[in-house]
């Protein structure tokens, strides 16, 4: 399944659509280059869960932003998995709230639980393609 986005607002709406289409899915892996719209997509989750969207930024230095309803990781700067991050991921993989991971390449092998993979790509200007990998 594939979407075209022409604005950050579109990208957030696509997040809402995917949440509606996959109400049981809890783990979301977001792939794609810098500025492709992954964090913007997470703002759609914030909208859905009524969390202040301004709080949603790339958790670049902390690796993790935690809200009651969802946990948001950005592993861009993570060179290798440390014990601490592994432990916190394990807890969230087995948890009840949504888990959303930007740059999930380092951890994807550990995710045995059901999940969705979403790929973001630049198409020039403000255009982005958002592709849900069909499993
Ligand atoms: P990532 O997390 O993938 O690095 P961000 O969501 O942080 O990307 O940044 C996307 C940037 O691109 C933002 O500055 C946003 O305003 C801009 N942008 C322009 N068009 C779009 C679009 N269609 N979807 C998402 N972001 C867009
Ligand atoms: Mg980001």
């Amino acid at each position: 399944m594939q979407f075209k986005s022409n604005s950050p607002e579109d990208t957030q709406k696509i997040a809402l659509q995917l949440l509606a289409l996959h109400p049981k899915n809890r783990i979301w892996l977001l792939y794609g280059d810098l500025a492709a719209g992954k964090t913007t997509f997470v703002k759609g989750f914030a909208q859905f869960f009524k969390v202040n969207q301004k709080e949603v930024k790339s958790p670049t230095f902390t690796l993790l932003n935690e809200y009651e309803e969802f946990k948001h990781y950005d592993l861009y700067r993570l060179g290798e998995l440390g014990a601490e991050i592994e432990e916190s991921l394990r807890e969230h993989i087995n948890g009840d709230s949504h888990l959303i991971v930007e740059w999930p390449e380092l951890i994807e092998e550990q995710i045995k639980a059901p999940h969705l993979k979403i790929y973001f790509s630049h198409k020039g200007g403000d255009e982005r393609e958002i592709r849900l990998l069909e499993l």
Side-chain angles (χ1 to χ4, degrees), residues 103-117:
W103 301 98
E105 284 83 350
L106 262 180
I107 60 144
E108 60 184 8
E109 304 236 305
Q110 274 166 272
I111 302 197
K112 312 287 184 220
H115 60 273
L116 291 175
K117 293 182 172 179

Side-chain angles (χ1 to χ4, degrees), residues 34-35 37-40 57-60 72 74 102-103:
L34 282 175
K38 301 179 297 299
T39 301
T40 303
K57 345 188 161 62
S58 269
T60 301
H72 174 204
D74 183 327
E102 297 185 44
W103 301 98

Side-chain angles (χ1 to χ4, degrees), residues 72-85:
H72 174 204
Y73 285 83
D74 183 327
L75 305 181
Y76 181 59
R77 281 169 198 274
L78 192 66
E80 58 185 70
L81 275 183
E84 201 179 326
I85 193 89

